[in-house]
Amino acid sequence: MSETLRLKVCLVGAPAVGKTSLVRRYVEGAFSEEYLTTIGVRISRKRVEVNGEPVGLVVWDINGDDAFAPLQATYLRGAAGFLLVADGTRPVTLDRVLALRDELAEAFGPTPAVLAINKEDLVDEWDVEDAHLEDLRASGWQLWRTSAREGTAVDDAFQALAEAAVATARG
Amino acid sequence: MADGLPPDLLAALDLVAFERQPDGHFRAAAPLPDWLRGHLPPDAEGCVTPAASSDFLAHFLAIAADTWDGPPGGRLMSGPFTEPGADGVERTLEATAIRAASGAWLLLGLPLMRYTTTQRLLQAARDEALDVERTRRRHAEREILLHTIVHDLSNPLAGLRGSLRLLRADALPEDDRELLEIAHRQADRMRDLIHDVLRAFRREVDAMMPATAAPADAAETLRQTAQLLGPRAQTAGVPLAVDAPEALPAVADARRLERALMNLAENAIRHSPEGGTVRLAAAVDGREVRLTVEDEGPGVPEDAREALFQRFASLGEQRGQIGLGLYTVRLAVESWGGTVGYEDREGGGARFWVRLKRPRERLA
Ligand SMILES: Nc1nc2c(ncn2[C@@H]2O[C@H](COP(=O)(O)OP(=O)(O)OP(=O)(O)O)[C@@H](O)[C@H]2O)c(=O)[nH]1
Ligand SMILES: [Mg+2]
């Protein structure tokens, strides 16, 4: 049996954007309306296939970044990719995660990153302009409008991240 | 290992101590509790290889090497982490690497107590923050709606007033001239009302904004309020008296506190008989700062007091404002953790008071 490639990926973003929910949807196929804020880090595993090869994803779901519990750099070390998560009903969370992206690049060098704008199912409250997302895409972002509740584009976002991470890890 | 330490002591703390071996294994200093056996299965000698079954510990041990290879007294704590163990059960644990004179140690434990307390606090803080965000957003949305409506009213009204102005009054019979005069006055009133509504709601939205971190000087703010209102008080024939110490730091936003005090003081002037003094005072009161605004007017009637600080309370026609003034004062003061209230002034008149927290002493 050949050694499977194991890759650490981290979810980062403001509190309550749905990081834990995205992981639960992706790994367990479940969703809960209840908000239980994450303390420290919560780790899950998922096997995926990239180009026909099995890859072990070690998913680090990290506590939301705010003044109450700022992001800890030590959790992020050795990450092969970042899933940056924002809440499409709270534009400020998108601004914050984009700013975080710059901080991450500064601290850890170029690392693959994918953007998930979550809660796509909340159509009435959605508050991020399509034009803004198009601009982000045009500037090179891989981004998805996800819904952890409905499962929309959740696998796509993780798969894209896995592929980008594998490509970088393999050089 | 530490001979003097009763083995059940660590167990009672839900802590397990491992000594780091030269070969990279970790040897437990006491029998392993079940939760740990489930998480990191030991070999026959009671040794565990954390990196083999824990993604988090694999990461943590790599970072901890510096601590273990460093001078005695070194310590590194992981913070809580949650992951499935080798048995598939998810647990929240905490790890500490310690470099002691006796060796290199790894402490693993269930951060139960502290974890739940921290979780509760953080949860409360974040729920609150989300609530505030939602409320603020609803207010902002409503303000936009209001603006739209008011604009839709303003434009035709401007047209109406323009047309009325162009109507030549001298060409009209006496009776019609009077009617035109009334139409003019009513149109002006409507315009003023629209302005009032806009102003009032903007203030309310402002009052929802969270407080700034820097404390305000309540005494200075009070003096400034008095200065700003000086001309108006003079016109009304109402002397203003200020009684405040040199400086009086309080938890509040200076700009908004000034507006709140203006609001109270304007009310006081309006309700003062000519020649009756309006007194503004600030003083330390225990762990709080107490600000008062007094007048010698009729005071607030008993039956109006309860609704005084409610959203649409009004102190009567002559206030000429929609009853949001005191309500916004209350919103602002409460957002700083303060309180606001009314009492009769001894010897007649009204006294409105604001209690603010005194700021924490500066560290070091
Ligand atoms: N409608 C909707 N709600 C969602 C979605 N994803 C998450 N939520 C809800 O948003 C809230 C926060 O979700 P979490 O997954 O706990 O958020 P988090 O980013 O992990 O939060 P922290 O751990 O505090 O940083 C919960 O009430 C979820 O039910 C989604 O796609 N749609
Ligand atoms: Mg979470």
Side-chain angles (χ1 to χ4, degrees):
Chain A
M1 201 182 87
S2 76
E3 185 87 351
T4 28
L5 182 62
R6 279 162 64 88
L7 290 176
K8 166 179 176 177
V9 295
C10 295
L11 281 85
V12 292
V17 294
K19 297 179 294 299
T20 303
S21 301
L22 286 170
V23 177
R24 281 198 71 188
R25 167 60 68 197
Y26 182 55
V27 176
E28 299 162 34
F31 176 79
S32 157
E33 296 285 346
E34 199 192 353
Y35 173 36
L36 251 183
T37 191
T38 304
I39 301 286
V41 44
R42 183 168 170 273
I43 296 172
S44 333
R45 291 176 213 161
K46 170 103 175 175
R47 297 176 71 81
V48 291
E49 254 187 34
V50 174
N51 307 324
E53 263 187 74
V55 174
L57 277 192
V58 184
V59 181
W60 289 49
D61 165 22
I62 299 184
N63 71 268
D65 178 36
D66 67 3
F68 301 121
L71 201 60
Q72 304 264 312
T74 57
Y75 290 148
L76 305 173
R77 268 204 242 165
F82 294 112
L83 183 62
L84 307 184
V85 187
D87 176 344
T89 69
R90 294 188 293 147
V92 60
T93 63
L94 178 57
D95 299 341
R96 271 159 65 181
V97 86
L98 290 175
L100 197 59
R101 166 72 187 145
D102 297 337
E103 277 181 63
L104 293 173
E106 222 167 276
F108 303 101
T111 311
V114 163
L115 188 56
I117 325 264
N118 192 39
K119 308 198 186 178
E120 192 258 355
D121 56 290
L122 297 176
V123 181
D124 288 348
E125 290 167 54
W126 191 263
D127 202 10
V128 177
E129 308 242 341
D130 282 343
H132 186 23
L133 298 188
E134 282 315 315
D135 287 347
L136 288 172
R137 276 205 186 95
S139 66
W141 274 101
Q142 291 208 62
L143 71 87
W144 271 265
R145 293 165 49 136
T146 60
S147 166
R149 189 205 245 154
E150 312 295 336
T152 320
V154 176
D155 286 357
D156 298 340
F158 277 100
Q159 184 66 31
L161 182 62
E163 283 168 13
V166 168
T168 306
R170 291 257 149 87
Chain B
M1 71 156 286
D3 286 333
L5 200 61
D8 54 351
L9 179 61
L10 287 181
L13 289 169
D14 277 325
L15 265 182
V16 183
F18 294 95
E19 189 168 13
R20 188 185 183 224
Q21 306 297 304
D23 62 2
H25 281 73
F26 288 82
R27 183 183 300 282
L32 294 178
D34 287 344
W35 60 264
L36 194 107
R37 290 178 170 280
H39 212 82
L40 307 172
D43 63 16
E45 266 98 73
C47 282
V48 295
T49 317
S53 41
S54 162
D55 291 307
F56 185 87
L57 288 173
H59 169 88
F60 180 71
L61 299 190
I63 303 177
D66 280 352
T67 305
W68 282 320
D69 296 338
R75 188 168 85 158
L76 180 72
M77 292 175 78
S78 73
F81 60 95
T82 309
E83 65 175 5
D87 57 358
V89 176
E90 189 175 271
R91 296 183 182 83
T92 298
L93 304 173
E94 196 160 18
T96 309
I98 295 180
R99 173 76 228 186
S102 58
W105 295 88
L106 172 68
L107 297 188
L108 265 183
L110 304 175
L112 274 181
M113 245 325 274
R114 259 179 312 135
Y115 180 76
T116 48
T117 329
T118 313
Q119 212 280 338
R120 208 170 45 233
L121 289 176
L122 204 55
Q123 189 79 55
R126 285 184 166 158
D127 286 343
E128 197 81 356
L130 282 177
D131 260 2
V132 169
E133 214 178 295
R134 258 180 235 127
T135 314
R136 205 180 299 152
R137 202 169 135 162
R138 257 202 315 275
H139 275 261
E141 272 166 10
R142 208 186 43 189
E143 200 198 18
I144 291 167
L145 186 69
L146 204 77
H147 260 283
T148 319
I149 294 173
V150 165
H151 270 284
D152 288 349
L153 287 176
S154 281
N155 291 336
L157 182 63
L160 185 63
R161 290 179 64 238
S163 310
L164 287 175
R165 255 199 318 275
L166 290 177
L167 257 184
R168 285 183 43 218
D170 52 4
L172 294 173
E174 184 69 27
D175 283 2
D176 290 355
R177 239 181 278 171
E178 200 172 309
L179 286 176
L180 180 60
E181 184 53 34
I182 292 174
H184 263 300
R185 274 208 309 271
Q186 296 291 45
D188 286 350
R189 235 190 108 197
M190 224 164 130
R191 179 204 53 196
D192 292 347
L193 243 149
I194 288 175
H195 284 167
D196 281 353
V197 167
L198 272 184
R199 219 181 22 243
F201 274 85
R202 194 161 318 125
R203 271 193 218 156
E204 191 187 354
V205 171
D206 265 14
M208 295 295 304
M209 296 301 164
T212 54
D217 182 346
E220 185 53 33
T221 309
L222 201 71
R223 277 189 289 271
Q224 258 159 30
T225 306
Q227 201 186 9
L228 284 170
L229 284 177
R232 193 164 327 166
Q234 207 166 16
T235 314
V238 175
L240 274 183
V242 179
D243 178 15
E246 185 62 15
L248 198 54
V251 176
D253 174 88
R255 199 173 51 86
R256 283 166 56 202
L257 179 60
E258 184 181 290
R259 240 187 290 154
L261 291 172
M262 284 278 269
N263 213 311
L264 295 177
E266 272 176 344
N267 266 342
I269 293 173
R270 210 174 299 124
H271 288 89
S272 272
E274 213 176 317
T277 307
V278 165
R279 290 186 179 79
L280 308 180
V284 169
D285 186 0
R287 299 178 60 179
E288 293 176 320
V289 166
R290 182 173 141 104
L291 306 172
T292 51
V293 177
E294 298 176 353
D295 64 55
E296 295 172 11
V300 177
E302 196 78 46
D303 57 0
R305 285 181 199 176
E306 199 174 323
L308 208 46
F309 294 95
Q310 306 293 316
R311 183 188 285 254
F312 286 112
S314 167
L315 292 183
E317 275 300 293
Q318 81 271 35
R319 282 186 75 237
Q321 273 194 14
I322 314 113
L324 277 169
L326 293 175
Y327 174 64
T328 57
V329 170
R330 192 188 104 203
L331 281 186
V333 169
E334 287 180 353
S335 79
W336 306 317
T339 48
V340 53
Y342 170 83
E343 62 201 21
D344 283 333
R345 175 177 169 269
E346 304 77 18
R351 176 187 297 132
F352 285 85
W353 53 261
V354 171
R355 286 175 169 282
L356 298 172
K357 290 193 157 61
R358 293 172 65 187
R360 162 173 77 67
E361 293 287 318
R362 294 195 51 164
L363 294 171

